[in-house]
Amino acid sequence: MSKILIKNIKGLFQVNDQLTKAKAGAAMQIDDMLENAFLAIENDTIVAYGSMDDWGGITDWRDLQVIDAEGKFVLPAFCDSHTHAIFADTREGEFEDRIKGLSYEEIALKGGGILNSAGKLQHMDEDQLFEDALNRIHSLVQYGTGAIEIKSGYGLTTEAELKMLRVVKRLKEASPMTIKATFLGAHAIPKEYKENRRGYIDLMINEMLPKIHEEGLADYIDCFCERNYFTVDEMNEILDAGAKYGLTPKVHVNQFSVMGGVKSAVDRGARSVDHLEEMDDGDIDALKGSECIPTLLPGCSFFLSIPYGKARKMIENNLPVAIASDYNPGSAPSGNMQFLTSLACAKMNMTPIEALNAITINSADAMDLAETHGSISIGKKANILITKPMNALARIPYSFGENNIESVYLNGQLFEHK
Ligand code: NIG
Ligand code: FE
């Protein structure tokens, strides 16, 4: 049995045995902080915590590894509920085109964007994709990420979409990170189907989905509901087809325009609606009283110079805001969640605690992991991180661009990136 005791913790963040759901509205300001604390782990599970003044929980000291966290904070490892972390290549050329004045949408209409990535991924072999993706997601652990959702959507043929999802399945087996898989065949209409959208939608529904189901490759179904991509009606049809195979929706909506996709997705039991750079009061009303978690992707707003989601308005309306990286080669080529908290605070006026709640318990809930991840609770997975020494937890968003994480434990084991 492996036993770890972390002692002298300056602040243990998100300590709450009752926390099995996202924090909403004013509750996002609650830090559940225990100062001068200890945390005990047995195998892959959190088994005790408390104040250093009260050692009641620890009775058996045999085989105990003791870590001194003097001056440091301990947090649940970050949860990244929206990524496209499997891709064949980066897209620096498009970045330069945008600097010269082209917009993301204009680049896409010229055949760049998602179709550019799909063209390359279709020709890459599965083993190479797997190795690159494993390395990529493991680099993120050093920045604090312990759980991650990964989408397909750079395949756009049956073969290549299955290849991506098989890579996710292999990542689930090979990595100590907790991983969820999302089918995003509806990411863009492939070139060959430009004049035959119906044909591509039929291909997804009649060929891709049954095969994905047969191999048990996806947890969720996604659709990029946006002008020039998929209409609300098309999204509805795709989500309804996914529902027949038990796939819960988790969708891209309102990145560039408000089309009514939020309400449609909520009505279909979406776990989350993601992006929301554009939003109207109808969207807020649709989310109120639902179980759907609005998820903001400030890295995408930063990188594409598009508006930031209106986090304050959502919080005022008592919604639970989650934040994810959207890690992808086109609109958000970074999965550093610490930087996202900097953007959340500096650009969306979230407080540091709201931002940290948004990347822990709330983003855990956005991928149905809140029962096991996202907080320091007895019985939850020992996925935790230890910061470098710091005056206050606000140092994480404050010192943007720095890595404030000293070490990360996944399933109770120190993660070492090779
Ligand atoms: O979430 N918006 C759609 N999909 C990604 C971008 C994909 C790409 O540009 O490759 C996003 O931003
Ligand atoms: Fe995305």
Side-chain angles (χ1 to χ4, degrees):
M1 187 198 286
S2 117
K3 287 198 281 185
I4 299 174
L5 171 68
I6 309 175
K7 65 173 186 177
N8 294 329
I9 301 167
K10 184 180 170 91
L12 184 56
F13 170 71
Q14 202 73 298
V15 186
N16 182 340
D17 284 347
Q18 265 67 55
L19 201 56
T20 52
K21 221 172 144 355
K23 291 178 176 174
M28 284 190 69
Q29 188 45 45
I30 298 171
D31 62 5
D32 284 316
M33 185 84 82
L34 191 60
E35 284 168 14
N36 190 30
F38 73 88
L39 174 67
I41 294 169
E42 267 180 28
N43 297 328
D44 65 350
T45 307
I46 294 171
V47 293
Y49 55 75
S51 161
M52 287 299 290
D53 303 329
D54 163 25
W55 283 89
I58 306 292
T59 49
D60 182 0
W61 289 79
R62 281 168 299 179
D63 305 320
L64 189 65
Q65 183 196 348
V66 180
I67 297 164
D68 194 343
E70 176 97 53
K72 303 167 187 175
F73 289 80
V74 171
L75 289 74
F78 304 142
C79 297
D80 193 347
S81 63
H82 179 140
T83 83
H84 310 250
I86 300 175
F87 50 87
D89 209 354
T90 47
R91 304 204 315 246
E92 293 85 347
E94 293 181 8
F95 176 47
E96 293 194 40
D97 286 345
R98 282 195 298 101
I99 294 167
K100 289 181 194 139
L102 284 181
S103 72
Y104 176 83
E105 286 177 288
E106 285 164 342
I107 291 167
L109 288 172
K110 287 199 323 176
I114 295 163
L115 297 184
N116 172 353
S117 282
K120 289 183 177 156
L121 187 136
Q122 286 161 5
H123 295 105
M124 193 149 169
D125 88 27
E126 189 186 305
D127 289 344
Q128 188 65 53
L129 264 185
F130 166 75
E131 264 169 50
D132 289 358
L134 186 65
N135 194 34
R136 191 175 293 132
I137 62 172
H138 280 179
S139 313
L140 300 182
V141 181
Q142 300 165 87
Y143 292 90
T145 303
I148 191 168
E149 179 260 16
I150 306 176
K151 300 173 193 298
S152 69
Y154 289 136
L156 309 185
T157 63
T158 303
E159 193 192 339
E161 284 294 308
L162 286 169
K163 178 167 69 178
M164 288 190 81
L165 291 170
R166 287 185 189 125
V167 168
V168 185
K169 191 174 185 182
R170 285 171 68 181
L171 294 172
K172 286 183 180 185
E173 285 155 12
S175 171
M177 296 175 87
T178 306
I179 300 175
K180 294 276 184 157
T182 300
F183 170 53
L184 176 55
H187 201 189
I189 298 282
K191 273 191 223 84
E192 312 74 64
Y193 287 91
K194 201 165 169 220
E195 306 305 328
N196 179 19
R197 303 173 68 83
R198 184 71 251 161
Y200 184 60
I201 293 166
D202 286 342
L203 182 77
M204 283 189 280
I205 294 176
N206 300 327
E207 193 174 292
M208 295 187 195
L209 273 171
K211 289 196 170 151
I212 289 164
H213 176 70
E214 218 175 274
E215 290 186 44
L217 293 177
D219 303 300
Y220 299 101
I221 184 159
D222 194 347
C223 174
F224 187 13
C225 179
E226 188 54 68
R227 64 184 175 217
N228 300 325
Y229 293 87
F230 292 87
T231 66
V232 175
D233 285 344
E234 288 168 343
M235 174 182 81
N236 291 343
E237 190 182 348
I238 293 158
L239 298 186
D240 290 343
K244 295 203 179 105
Y245 296 101
L247 300 181
T248 302
K250 226 175 135 53
V251 295
H252 285 73
V253 281
N254 292 34
Q255 182 174 5
F256 302 113
S257 57
V258 176
M259 306 200 315
V262 172
K263 177 155 183 4
S264 272
V266 169
D267 288 346
R268 283 167 176 74
R271 188 73 213 99
S272 69
V273 285
D274 303 22
H275 271 293
L276 308 175
E277 288 87 344
E278 303 291 338
M279 216 180 181
D280 69 12
D281 289 344
D283 296 325
I284 300 259
D285 288 343
L287 283 161
K288 276 195 208 162
S290 82
E291 289 293 310
C292 179
I293 300 192
T295 300
L296 301 178
L297 312 170
C300 174
S301 300
F302 168 77
F303 194 68
L304 295 188
S305 302
I306 61 175
Y308 287 85
K310 293 190 179 60
R312 284 261 61 89
K313 184 158 187 191
M314 294 181 206
I315 293 170
E316 276 159 24
N317 278 279
N318 205 28
L319 297 177
V321 175
I323 288 178
S325 73
D326 197 17
Y327 191 17
N328 77 76
S331 68
S334 165
N336 178 349
M337 297 202 84
Q338 294 170 67
F339 180 56
L340 301 179
T341 67
S342 303
L343 293 176
C345 297
K347 300 294 184 185
M348 303 196 292
N349 280 324
M350 292 174 80
T351 66
I353 294 304
E354 286 171 340
L356 289 165
N357 276 320
I359 63 166
T360 54
I361 190 65
N362 287 13
S363 48
D365 207 9
M367 49 178 160
D368 294 298
L369 289 176
E371 301 268 348
T372 48
H373 293 65
S375 68
I376 306 290
S377 316
I378 291 178
K380 277 200 182 183
K381 263 227 175 316
N383 281 16
I384 57 118
L385 59 86
I386 305 177
T387 68
K388 293 177 180 165
M390 53 180 64
N391 293 334
L393 198 48
R395 172 74 68 86
I396 293 177
Y398 165 85
S399 59
F400 67 91
E402 256 183 52
N403 189 0
N404 289 294
I405 309 307
E406 188 173 88
S407 54
V408 177
Y409 289 76
L410 297 181
N411 310 319
Q413 301 215 344
L414 177 65
F415 182 86
E416 288 171 289
H417 188 46
K418 287 157 206 108

